[in-house]
Amino acid sequence: VECVGYLLEELRDEETFEQFKLDVADANIFIGSLIFVQELAEKVTEVVAPLRDQLDAVLIFPSMPEVMRLNKIGQFTMKNLGQSKSVVADFMKKKKQEDGSSFEEGMLKLLRTLPKVLKFLPSDKAADARTFMMSFQYWLGGSPENLESLLVMLGQDYVPPVMKSMEGKDKIKAVEPVLLPDKAIWHPIAPKIVFENNADYMNWYDNEFCPEAGIDVKTAPTIGLILQKSHINTKDDTHYVSLIAELESRGSRVVPIYSGGLDFSGPIEEYFYNSAGRPVVDTIVNLTGFALVGGPASQDHKKAAKILKRLNKPYMCAVPLVFQSFEEWQSSELGLHPVQVALQVSLPEIDGAIEPIIFAGREGATGRSVPLADRVNLLADRALKWATLGSKPAQDKKIAITIFSFPPDKGNVGTAAYLDVFDSIKAVLKQMKSEGYNIGDAPLEKEAIMESILNDPEAKISSPELNVAYRMSTEEYYDLTPYAEDLEENWGPAPGNLNSDGKNLVIYGKQFGNVFIGVQPSFGYEGDPMRLLFAKSASPHHGFAAYYTFLEKIFEADAVLHFGTHGSLEFMPGKQVGMSGTCYPDRLINSLPSAYLYAANNPSEATIAKRRSYSATVSYLTPPAENAGLYKGLKELKELISSYQGLRENEGRGPAIVNSIVSTAWTCNLDKDIKNLPALETYDAKADTAENRDDIVGKVYSQIMQIESRLLPCGLHTVGVPPTAEEAIATLVNIAQLDRPEDDIESLPRVIASSIGRDINEIYRGNNKGVLTEVELNDKVTLAARAAVRALVNQSTDSNGRVKEVKSALDEVGNFFGGLMGQKKPWTQAIINAGFPEVEEARLVPLIGYLEFCLKQIVANNELGGIMELLNGQFLMPAPGGDPIRNPDVLPTGRNMHALDPSSIPTAAAVEVSDGVVRKLLEKLRDDNEGMYPESIAFTLWGTDNIKTYGESLAQVLALVGVKPVSDSLGRVNKVELIPLEVLGRPRIDVVVSCSGVFRDLFINQMNLMDRGIKLAAEADEPLEQNFIRKHALQQAEELGVSLREASCRVFSNSAGSYSANVGLAIENGGWEDEAQLQEQFLTRKGFAFNADKPGMMEQQADLFKAALKTVDVTFQNLDSSEISITDVSHYYDSDPTKVVMGLRDDKKKPMSMMADTTTANAQVRSLSETVRLDARTKLLNPKFYEGMLSTGYEGVREIQKRLKNTMGWSATAGEVDNFVFEDANGVFIEDEEMQRRLLDTNPNAFRDMVTTFLEANGRGYWETSEENIERLQELYAEVEDRIEGV
C-alpha cells in the first residue's frame, strides 16, 4: 500500500499544494483529521469535493463541519452535518443537557455504543456506518496494528481492485481495535501499560519505583501531568518521557494522567486526589496545550476554572509545536504559529493557565515529537519552584517586590498606571506580616517605605542615588549570568555606565527580613538617545541583567512580585510568543515564579507579561471616573446660561446676558470649538433675533456640558481599598448609560427619555448640534439618571460612606407592603422628582437588578487576597480584563487577567457600532471638504482598545475598505467578503493601518483578516474613482516595480519582539534633536509589513510604507474609555503619523487629524485639536483633577507633569495644541507662588521636569509667551537644581 501524508500547514506552499492535488487525484482513499484552520479547510474542500465521487472512500475525522461533509463510505455520508436536522447533533445536544458533558466526551460514548447497536441493523447503510465508526476507533488507537486493520477493512470492502483480487477468497476478519482505556494514569517505566485507579499506581510508584530512583516519598513535591492519549497510543512519547525523567531526577514525584476525549475534568477529579479527598499534586502541568475542557473545538472555561480552583494548585499549560517544525520555530521572529497561539495559548489562559512554555517540537523528516532539552529543563525548574511556594513555611519564603522608575529619574521611582505604589506596598507588607512572612523591621508607613528606598524623597540633602542594596563585582556578574557576554555587542563589556559605579554593577533597593524591595533598571535609552532610532530594539543592558541575576542567585527569591503597570521585562527583545532560550524575557526571569500586579483596564499588555515573562497577573482597580465638573470661567458660563434660561423673554436682561456669555466664551478660548462664535468687538445681542441668540447659547451650553460630563479618573488607587459609596455611584452612572441588548437591558437615559415620548439618540443628535432645547433636555436626563443611581446606592451605604453589603432592592418583604401602599421605589421616585413623572417602574427592573449585581462586584475586593494566593502557591481564578463600564465581568479585581479569544472579534455588535462611527467620520470629513470623500485614511490600532470594544476599530478599517467580516461554522471570525459598490453606496476608502506591537502580538490573525480584505478590494475590477485602494495600489506597483498584490500591503507594525515608535521615549527623555528625528524613528520602527501570503514574518517595507502614507488625507485614532485619554499616556502621540504624512506628501499639506470618542453612549467624532483642548480643560487645567492628584503626594506631582509632557508630545507629532493650553497651565502651576511651593516641596525632581517642559515647549516653538514668563521659569530652574543638589 502506498501512503502519502501532508501536515495541514504545508498546503500554504503553492508547490506543495499543486502536488497535493495530483496525489488526491491519483488516490483510492482520502483520510483527513483535525482540520480546524478556516482558509486551509477551504483548500482541502476545493481539492477533495470535485474528486469525491471518483474516490472509493473519504474518511474525515473531527474537523470543521464543511470538511466533515465530504465523508463517504459506501452509502454512509455526513451531508447534513452542522445543519440543524442532524440525528448525531440532536443526540449530542441531549447528552450535553443531561450530564453537562462536552462534544468529545459524547462522541466517545457514541463510538463505544454505536458499533454494537449497528451490528443488529440489516441494511447496507448500517454496515457502512459501522465501518466508519470502526475506522475512527482504529484511527484513535493509532498503533501500527490498528492502522493495518483499518486499511485491510477499507480495501476489501470498498476499493475495486482489492475487492476483485479477493473474489472467491475468505475475507480477512476484522480484528477488534486495540484500545487503551479512555482515561488512566500512565508511566513509561511501569510494568502495566496503564493504571485505572489511583491506589494501584501509588502502590507501585511509592513502594517500588521511588525507592529505586532515590526519591523520598515523604518530602518529595508531586507534579501532576496531563497528557494526550494519542501520543501514548502511537508510542510517540519521547517528549513526555523526557520531562518525567527531568522531574524525577530533581527528586520529584509525578502523576501523569490522560483522557481519550478532550475533557480532562473527570481524570483530574479521579486521579489528583487521594481517598480522603485531599490533593496529591503540588503543581499541575498540562502538556497537551489545549483548554482543559473541550480542546480546540468547544470550551467550557467556567467548568475548567471551577475544577482547578477546587484543587487550588498552580496550573501551567505548556505547548508542543504542532504547525511548525522545530527549525521553523527556531528561525521565526514571531515564534509560535498564530493559529496555535489562538488555540493553545489564548484559550488555556481563559481557564486560568499560566506560562505557555514550548517544550517539544516535531522532527522535520518523520513528524515525530522531540523534546527541546533546555525548555524541558526550564519547565521542570519552574513547576518545582511553584510547588515550593505552596509547601515552604511563610516565615522562610523570600519575596522580591520589584517597582519601576519611568522615565528613569529619582522623581519617578514607583511609577505605575493609576496606582499609589508606596501606599499599596504598605498594604501588601501588612498583609504578609499577618500571614507569618518575615518582613524584618520594615516600616509600615508610606513615607518611611519611600524614604528607605529613595534615601530621601525630599532630596534636601545631596543624593542623586537611590539606596544601594548590593554592589556586584563584574567577576561575580559574569560568573552568575550565563548570557552576559551576549550583551557586549550592544553595550560593551560590563559594568558599563548604567546602574554602575564604574567598578561594580549596582542594585538599588532595600531588604527587610526576607522581603526585598528593588527598583527595576530602565530600558537604557537615556544613556544613548541614538538607540531610539534602531528599527529593532537592542538587548537589555548589564545593569538590567544584573538585577535579575541578583534576585535569583544572590537574594535567592522564591518569587518576584512586579508592582504595577508596567516595567520593561516583558518588552525586551525576543520572539513574540513561545520564547526560546535566547529570548531576553526568558533569560532574565529564568526560573523565578513571577506575580504581576496589572491594571484591570490593560488586558493587552498584561497578556504580554503572561506570555513573554511567564507572569501570573493580579488585576487592580483603576480609580473610579467622576464627572470633570466646571471651574473658573467655565463655571461662570454655566451660571450665565441658567440665568438666560429664566430671562430669555426679557428684552432688557436676555440680550445683556447673551453678550456676557459671548465675551466669557472668548475668554475661555471656546471660539476654537464653536464655529462662527460672534466677534467680541462687533456683536450686540440686542440687535440679533431671538432664534440666533438661542442658537449661540445652545452651542456654548453644548460645549461646556461636554467638558462637565467628561469622565475623569480621580486620584490614584491603593491596593486592597475598595471604592467609597460616592465612587461607586460614579462608576454605576456610567454603567447605566449603555444599552446592553444581549442581556435585554435598556440604558437608564433611554427609559427616562421614552417616558416623555422621546428617543435618547435623537436627543444626543440635537445636543451635539447645539440646539438649546435639546442640550437642556440632555442635561435634565443626565441629572435624573444620576439621582436614580444615587438612590439605589444610598440604600446600602453605611455611616462611613462605604458599601459593606449590598441590600437587594428587588426581593424584600418591605417591597411587598410598599407595593400595596402604592409606594414608588426610591430610584423611581428620584427620577419623578427630577421632572419625569411618567417613568415606568416596571421597565427599570432588569436594569436595577443588573446595577445591583455590578455594585456587588465593584465593592468586592480580592486584590490583597489575589497577591497572597499566588505567593502561597495557589490557583488564582481567571477574569477578563478591559473596561469595567463596558464589561462589568472585569470586576471584582484581584484575579488572573486574560484577554479574549482572538478569533471572536470583531463581534456583530462591534461591527454595528463601527459602521455608525465610520458614517459620522465620513460625514464630518465631507462637510469640511466641499462634499469630497477622503481617498486615504491612516489608522492606528491598539491591543487593549480592541479587547475592550471587542474589535470596534478593527471593524472600522474593514468598513472603510468596504469588506465585511464573516464567521465560520464554529463562530470564529476568519473570513472577509467584499461588499458590492452598489450596496456600499460610496467609494472604497484606502487605509494605512499602523498596529501597535501589542496588537501585533495578540491579534496577528486579525492582521491577516485586514490584509486579505484590503487585497480583495485592490484586486476588484472596479472604476478607480470608486475604489481608492486599487487606484493607489496600481500607482505604487508601477513606482516600486512590484505586483499589485504586493503593492496593496497596508497593515504595518514593528518588527517582531519590538514595541512602539520610541517617539514617546525620546520626548520623555528630552534627548531629541528635532521633529525630523521623531519622524524618521516612526518610519524606521513602524515600517514592517504584514503579508497574509507569508504569515510567519514581519517584513521591513519602508518604501511601501512611505508610498502608502504619502497618499493619506486624514489621520485617525479611537478613544474608547474614560480612564486612558490622549494626554494620560504617550502611546497615542507616539503612533500619530500626522507630521510624518505632511513631510511625505508632494504638496506638503498637513492631513486632517480626527479622533472618534466612544467613551459614552453618545459616540462623537472630533478633530484632534478639539480633543486636545477637551482633555486639557478636563485634566491638566481642572482643579478637580490636579488637586485630586496632589492629595496623593509625591506620585501626584509626577502624574501632573506627565500630562504636561504628553500635551507637548502632541505639539511635536501633530502640531495640534493651542497656545492657550501652555499659557493657562503656566498660570496654574508656575505663576501661582503657593502652588509652586507645594509642587517643589512634594516632589522636587518631578517639578524640575515640569519647569524644563515649559522651557522646552517655548524653545521648540510650541508656545509663545512673555519674556517675563520665560525669565521666571529660568530662575525657578536654577532654584530647583540647587534644592535637589542640597545647596
Side-chain angles (χ1 to χ4, degrees):
V1 179
E2 182 193 349
C3 288
V4 186
Y6 288 86
L7 279 173
L8 188 60
E9 278 300 308
E10 294 176 332
L11 303 185
R12 286 189 193 276
D13 177 69
E14 272 315 306
E15 274 178 48
T16 313
F17 187 52
E18 289 308 316
Q19 186 56 49
F20 173 66
K21 287 181 185 169
L22 296 173
D23 286 333
V24 176
D26 196 29
N28 298 99
I29 296 174
F30 177 79
I31 301 178
S33 177
L34 296 178
I35 300 168
F36 281 113
V37 182
Q38 180 67 38
E39 61 262 42
L40 299 175
E42 286 167 14
K43 284 190 149 190
V44 172
T45 313
E46 174 196 328
V47 174
V48 180
L51 298 170
R52 181 173 177 269
D53 291 342
Q54 79 174 50
L55 283 158
D56 300 324
V58 179
L59 288 152
I60 310 282
F61 302 124
S63 292
M64 304 278 294
E66 59 264 46
V67 193
M68 294 282 282
R69 283 184 215 126
L70 296 169
N71 265 307
K72 171 189 99 162
I73 294 187
Q75 294 185 8
F76 172 80
T77 70
M78 286 196 176
K79 277 210 286 291
N80 303 337
L81 190 76
Q83 293 153 8
S84 56
K85 282 285 157 237
S86 144
V87 186
V88 175
D90 289 348
F91 171 82
M92 306 310 286
K93 270 199 195 111
K94 264 216 211 74
K95 198 82 210 84
K96 185 155 189 173
Q97 282 156 3
E98 282 164 25
D99 61 5
S101 63
S102 70
F103 177 80
E104 284 74 17
E105 289 287 300
M107 190 86 171
L108 280 169
K109 286 175 186 156
L110 192 65
L111 265 186
R112 270 176 244 132
T113 50
L114 267 188
K116 298 182 182 108
V117 177
L118 292 168
K119 266 184 193 162
F120 306 111
L121 294 179
S123 76
D124 296 344
K125 238 187 192 170
D128 293 334
R130 184 167 187 275
T131 304
F132 175 75
M133 289 301 184
M134 290 288 281
S135 305
F136 192 19
Q137 288 193 316
Y138 285 133
W139 184 255
L140 285 174
S143 62
E145 299 78 15
N146 281 323
L147 294 178
E148 187 182 321
S149 301
L150 167 67
L151 295 174
V152 167
M153 177 178 77
L154 292 174
Q156 65 185 9
D157 287 343
Y158 299 98
V159 180
V162 180
M163 288 160 73
K164 200 168 167 50
S165 70
M166 295 292 290
E167 280 173 12
K169 299 178 189 166
D170 284 346
K171 276 194 182 179
I172 300 171
K173 235 177 119 56
V175 188
E176 281 294 310
V178 184
L179 295 178
L180 289 173
D182 276 336
K183 52 184 177 187
I185 305 177
W186 170 86
H187 192 287
I189 299 178
K192 293 165 62 167
I193 299 181
V194 295
F195 298 87
E196 288 193 69
N197 68 55
N198 212 320
D200 283 0
Y201 175 71
M202 292 304 178
N203 189 18
W204 165 77
Y205 192 63
D206 289 350
N207 299 329
E208 292 179 37
F209 178 81
C210 288
E212 273 181 37
I215 296 170
D216 181 346
V217 177
K218 286 193 179 64
T219 59
T222 304
I223 309 296
L225 301 174
I226 297 175
L227 319 176
Q228 214 167 327
K229 184 183 174 196
S230 57
H231 283 285
I232 294 163
N233 275 337
T234 53
K235 307 204 172 21
D236 178 14
D237 54 17
T238 351
H239 52 321
Y240 294 164
V241 176
S242 165
L243 180 63
I244 289 171
E246 279 304 329
L247 287 165
E248 290 176 340
S249 71
R250 287 167 170 71
S252 164
R253 295 162 78 244
V254 293
V255 183
I257 64 172
Y258 71 77
S259 164
L262 289 166
D263 179 348
F264 291 98
S265 56
I268 283 182
E269 301 270 71
E270 204 164 319
Y271 303 131
F272 284 172
Y273 291 91
N274 62 17
S275 53
R278 272 202 291 280
V280 292
V281 294
D282 299 303
T283 302
I284 308 153
V285 186
N286 180 345
L287 298 179
T288 69
F290 287 120
L292 193 72
V293 180
S298 61
Q299 303 78 37
D300 186 341
H301 298 297
K302 282 204 167 78
K303 179 178 177 185
K306 201 169 133 197
I307 295 281
L308 290 165
K309 187 60 196 167
R310 189 177 152 232
L311 201 58
N312 208 14
K313 302 291 177 188
Y315 171 60
M316 300 163 71
C317 192
V319 185
L321 293 172
V322 176
F323 296 124
Q324 295 147 292
S325 68
F326 168 59
E327 296 74 22
E328 286 167 330
W329 164 72
Q330 195 75 25
S331 63
S332 158
E333 288 189 337
L334 292 172
L336 190 59
H337 190 287
V339 171
Q340 216 180 328
V341 174
L343 291 177
Q344 297 196 295
V345 180
S346 301
L347 296 178
E349 281 172 351
I350 303 175
D351 290 342
I354 53 176
E355 310 204 4
I357 296 170
I358 291 180
F359 74 103
R362 282 181 184 279
E363 219 169 36
T366 63
R368 287 183 78 74
S369 302
V370 283
L372 310 179
D374 73 313
R375 309 285 78 205
V376 167
N377 271 324
L378 181 74
L379 186 56
D381 285 345
R382 294 191 65 82
L384 290 172
K385 285 257 177 108
W386 274 109
T388 304
L389 284 175
S391 57
K392 201 173 192 177
Q395 70 267 22
D396 300 337
K397 264 190 271 192
K398 289 187 161 188
I399 305 296
I401 296 177
T402 293
I403 57 178
F404 312 118
S405 170
F406 187 82
D409 176 302
K410 193 159 174 178
N412 292 327
V413 173
T415 19
Y418 297 115
L419 190 64
D420 188 329
V421 171
F422 290 108
D423 218 21
S424 298
I425 287 178
K426 174 182 102 175
V428 171
L429 287 173
K430 270 190 177 155
Q431 185 64 31
M432 289 174 83
K433 187 173 185 178
S434 75
E435 292 193 24
Y437 283 76
N438 170 7
I439 64 163
D441 56 354
L444 290 178
E445 282 312 314
K446 173 181 170 174
E447 277 66 32
I449 298 169
M450 262 168 66
E451 171 95 20
S452 61
I453 290 155
L454 297 182
N455 254 1
D456 176 23
E458 302 294 325
K460 289 193 180 95
I461 50 165
S462 167
S463 90
E465 273 220 345
L466 306 173
N467 190 59
V468 175
Y470 188 78
R471 295 185 194 273
M472 188 185 292
S473 70
T474 48
E475 191 183 344
E476 184 176 31
Y477 165 69
Y478 278 110
D479 195 32
L480 296 177
T481 314
Y483 52 91
E485 287 179 5
D486 296 354
L487 309 186
E488 293 182 2
E489 179 191 351
N490 280 307
W491 301 96
N497 56 4
L498 294 165
N499 288 67
S500 102
D501 59 9
K503 292 202 301 290
N504 307 295
L505 286 150
V506 176
I507 312 299
Y508 294 120
K510 180 88 174 160
Q511 186 169 342
F512 302 104
N514 283 336
V515 177
F516 171 69
I517 302 175
V519 182
Q520 186 189 68
S522 69
F523 230 117
Y525 290 117
E526 66 282 8
D528 178 3
M530 288 314 289
R531 288 176 188 282
L532 295 169
L533 284 164
F534 296 166
K536 297 185 178 185
S537 302
S539 67
H541 57 81
H542 294 295
F544 202 99
Y547 179 78
Y548 281 93
T549 296
F550 168 79
L551 295 188
E552 186 181 20
K553 296 180 178 163
I554 294 168
F555 174 65
E556 294 179 335
D558 290 294
V560 55
L561 170 59
H562 287 100
F563 216 90
T565 308
H566 59 75
S568 311
L569 170 69
E570 62 270 37
F571 296 104
M572 285 294 170
K575 296 186 190 303
Q576 209 168 282
V577 184
M579 303 288 104
S580 72
T582 55
C583 297
Y584 284 106
D586 179 288
R587 287 172 148 181
L588 289 157
I589 198 69
N590 197 24
S591 69
L592 276 175
S594 164
Y596 210 136
L597 198 55
Y598 237 91
N601 66 354
N602 193 344
S604 61
E605 290 180 316
T607 300
I608 286 178
K610 291 174 80 150
R611 294 176 187 178
R612 301 187 85 238
S613 64
Y614 310 141
S615 298
T617 55
V618 184
S619 61
Y620 63 84
L621 204 58
T622 46
E626 296 175 26
N627 292 93
L630 298 170
Y631 51 93
K632 298 182 185 161
L634 296 168
K635 194 169 179 185
E636 195 182 314
L637 267 176
K638 175 122 192 233
E639 286 157 6
L640 284 168
I641 290 168
S642 61
S643 308
Y644 175 72
Q645 287 165 317
L647 299 166
R648 271 178 71 219
E649 310 298 328
N650 181 323
E651 276 306 313
R653 307 268 312 275
I657 295 174
V658 175
N659 284 338
S660 300
I661 287 174
V662 170
S663 114
T664 313
W666 277 94
T667 314
C668 293
N669 298 292
L670 290 179
D671 54 301
K672 312 234 176 356
D673 302 279
I674 299 168
K675 271 191 192 163
N676 313 325
L677 183 69
L680 203 51
E681 297 73 34
T682 55
Y683 180 72
D684 182 7
K686 263 206 173 62
D688 209 343
T689 65
E691 286 79 19
N692 269 356
R693 293 199 292 256
D694 275 2
D695 189 47
I696 292 165
V697 175
K699 288 196 164 59
V700 174
Y701 194 1
S702 171
Q703 274 303 320
I704 61 171
M705 286 315 297
Q706 275 191 53
I707 296 167
E708 185 191 46
S709 62
R710 185 116 178 126
L711 297 175
L712 183 68
C714 285
L716 298 170
H717 176 67
T718 298
V719 165
V721 179
T724 61
E726 272 306 309
E727 292 166 339
I729 290 170
T731 306
L732 281 180
V733 166
N734 302 327
I735 289 175
Q737 60 146 339
L738 297 181
D739 289 310
R740 298 175 196 271
E742 65 284 2
D743 299 317
D744 294 328
I745 291 170
E746 295 178 286
S747 72
L748 196 45
R750 183 173 300 285
V751 177
I752 295 170
S754 72
S755 75
I756 53 165
R758 293 294 307 275
D759 174 6
I760 190 69
N761 293 29
E762 275 176 26
I763 299 175
Y764 289 153
R765 271 195 289 277
N767 172 79
N768 299 350
K769 286 186 181 139
V771 179
L772 182 59
T773 50
E774 299 294 70
V775 181
E776 286 173 351
L777 181 55
N778 187 33
D779 195 14
K780 189 174 165 186
V781 169
T782 307
L783 292 172
R786 283 185 204 162
V789 171
R790 178 172 295 280
L792 171 70
V793 176
N794 281 350
Q795 313 196 98
S796 304
T797 306
D798 66 14
S799 53
N800 301 323
R802 292 209 170 262
V803 176
K804 283 286 188 296
E805 66 178 297
V806 177
K807 295 198 175 73
S808 175
L810 298 171
D811 58 11
E812 284 180 10
V813 184
N815 282 345
F816 174 70
F817 293 113
L820 289 180
M821 307 292 288
Q823 240 177 356
K824 294 284 183 203
K825 302 270 193 300
W827 48 90
T828 315
Q829 196 54 53
I831 296 171
I832 293 169
N833 297 349
F836 296 93
E838 300 300 313
V839 68
E840 284 178 62
E841 189 157 82
R843 262 180 89 174
L844 292 169
V845 169
L847 176 68
I848 295 295
Y850 185 70
L851 291 178
E852 273 189 0
F853 161 76
C854 293
L855 180 59
K856 283 183 185 141
Q857 305 298 83
I858 292 167
V859 298
N861 190 291
N862 188 41
E863 291 170 356
L864 284 173
I867 292 170
M868 298 314 296
E869 280 177 50
L870 290 178
L871 298 184
N872 295 332
Q874 293 167 342
F875 176 77
L876 185 58
M877 283 296 273
D883 178 358
I885 290 166
R886 283 174 189 259
N887 179 11
D889 288 345
V890 166
L891 305 169
T893 45
R895 293 180 293 170
N896 186 1
M897 207 183 346
H898 59 74
L900 39 74
D901 171 0
S903 62
S904 65
I905 70 167
T907 58
V911 170
E912 198 179 313
V913 173
S914 70
D915 285 347
V917 171
V918 165
R919 198 177 54 249
K920 284 182 183 170
L921 172 67
L922 292 177
E923 274 168 18
K924 191 166 170 91
L925 291 171
R926 288 181 73 190
D927 285 352
D928 296 349
N929 198 22
E930 294 161 12
M932 304 274 287
Y933 280 103
E935 290 199 3
S936 180
I937 296 183
F939 232 90
T940 309
L941 289 188
W942 302 102
T944 287
D945 299 12
N946 277 286
I947 293 174
K948 287 179 186 167
T949 64
Y950 297 94
E952 274 174 26
S953 48
L954 163 70
Q956 290 164 7
V957 172
L958 299 173
L960 284 166
V961 173
V963 295
K964 65 172 182 204
V966 182
S967 303
D968 67 16
S969 43
L970 294 175
R972 300 175 308 186
V973 183
N974 51 21
K975 287 198 281 196
V976 275
E977 284 173 8
L978 215 50
I979 301 168
L981 282 172
E982 51 276 19
V983 178
L984 194 61
R986 61 164 170 81
R988 299 187 193 285
I989 312 290
D990 197 359
V991 288
V992 185
V993 187
S994 178
C995 302
S996 73
V998 175
F999 184 92
R1000 174 207 60 212
D1001 284 6
L1002 298 186
F1003 295 120
I1004 198 126
N1005 293 322
Q1006 275 59 30
M1007 287 168 78
N1008 191 327
L1009 204 64
M1010 284 188 288
D1011 188 57
R1012 287 181 1 232
I1014 292 164
K1015 285 180 171 149
L1016 266 181
E1019 289 172 341
D1021 189 3
E1022 295 170 340
L1024 299 186
E1025 69 281 1
Q1026 286 296 303
N1027 184 336
F1028 299 137
I1029 302 146
R1030 185 172 177 78
K1031 175 182 169 181
H1032 297 152
L1034 286 167
Q1035 291 165 359
Q1036 287 145 8
E1038 198 174 323
E1039 268 171 48
L1040 301 169
V1042 294
S1043 70
L1044 172 70
R1045 200 168 166 80
E1046 282 177 89
S1048 56
C1049 280
R1050 291 285 186 274
V1051 182
F1052 296 89
S1053 185
N1054 297 75
S1055 75
S1058 293
Y1059 300 84
S1060 104
N1062 282 350
V1063 170
L1065 280 169
I1067 286 174
E1068 279 158 352
N1069 288 319
W1072 50 293
E1073 291 285 308
D1074 53 16
E1075 287 178 6
Q1077 178 199 325
L1078 302 179
Q1079 290 157 29
E1080 188 52 39
Q1081 269 177 226
F1082 179 86
L1083 289 166
T1084 313
R1085 288 185 63 86
K1086 284 285 179 192
F1088 288 78
F1090 177 86
N1091 185 344
D1093 303 333
K1094 310 180 206 165
M1097 56 207 276
M1098 299 291 302
E1099 261 184 319
Q1100 185 143 28
Q1101 290 273 18
D1103 293 343
L1104 184 57
F1105 191 37
K1106 287 178 186 165
L1109 285 169
K1110 197 174 167 175
T1111 63
V1112 164
D1113 307 306
V1114 180
T1115 61
F1116 180 73
Q1117 294 202 46
N1118 282 279
L1119 275 183
D1120 56 77
S1121 84
S1122 52
E1123 304 148 317
I1124 303 178
S1125 190
I1126 61 171
T1127 59
D1128 294 329
V1129 290
S1130 60
H1131 302 57
Y1132 287 111
Y1133 72 76
D1134 180 273
S1135 282
D1136 173 68
T1138 305
K1139 284 188 178 173
V1140 175
V1141 170
M1142 180 173 147
L1144 292 170
R1145 280 179 66 110
D1146 293 334
D1147 59 7
K1148 297 294 178 233
K1149 188 174 144 214
K1150 191 158 101 176
M1152 293 174 71
S1153 298
M1154 307 302 286
M1155 293 278 274
D1157 178 344
T1158 57
T1159 54
T1160 64
N1162 180 13
Q1164 307 232 25
V1165 175
R1166 301 189 180 93
S1167 70
L1168 174 58
S1169 57
E1170 277 177 272
T1171 313
V1172 172
R1173 289 193 290 273
L1174 183 57
D1175 222 48
R1177 287 173 177 139
T1178 51
K1179 293 204 168 138
L1180 189 61
L1181 306 175
N1182 184 354
K1184 186 168 181 178
F1185 172 78
Y1186 58 72
E1187 290 298 346
M1189 283 301 172
L1190 282 172
S1191 69
T1192 64
Y1194 166 87
E1195 282 101 338
V1197 183
R1198 181 176 67 219
E1199 291 292 324
I1200 297 167
Q1201 151 57 11
K1202 190 164 91 180
R1203 302 303 186 290
L1204 180 69
K1205 188 74 117 179
N1206 289 339
T1207 304
M1208 189 184 80
W1210 282 110
S1211 294
T1213 63
E1216 295 284 341
V1217 184
D1218 294 285
N1219 204 65
F1220 85 81
V1221 173
F1222 291 114
E1223 195 66 30
D1224 288 6
N1226 181 67
V1228 171
F1229 302 111
I1230 306 294
E1231 280 178 26
D1232 176 342
E1233 291 209 356
E1234 191 196 337
M1235 175 61 83
Q1236 239 188 61
R1237 287 291 131 222
R1238 283 170 71 193
L1239 296 168
L1240 181 58
D1241 291 345
T1242 314
N1243 187 337
N1245 293 69
F1247 182 58
R1248 173 178 59 186
D1249 285 349
M1250 184 183 279
V1251 173
T1252 313
T1253 305
F1254 278 118
L1255 287 168
E1256 188 179 355
N1258 172 259
R1260 293 191 189 271
Y1262 304 143
W1263 172 39
E1264 284 178 31
T1265 190
S1266 64
E1267 280 302 309
E1268 181 195 346
N1269 277 342
I1270 296 303
E1271 280 166 19
R1272 183 191 298 111
L1273 284 161
Q1274 287 165 338
E1275 284 163 17
L1276 254 181
Y1277 185 81
E1279 185 189 329
V1280 184
E1281 279 286 87
D1282 289 350
R1283 171 78 171 271
I1284 289 172
E1285 298 301 328
V1287 175

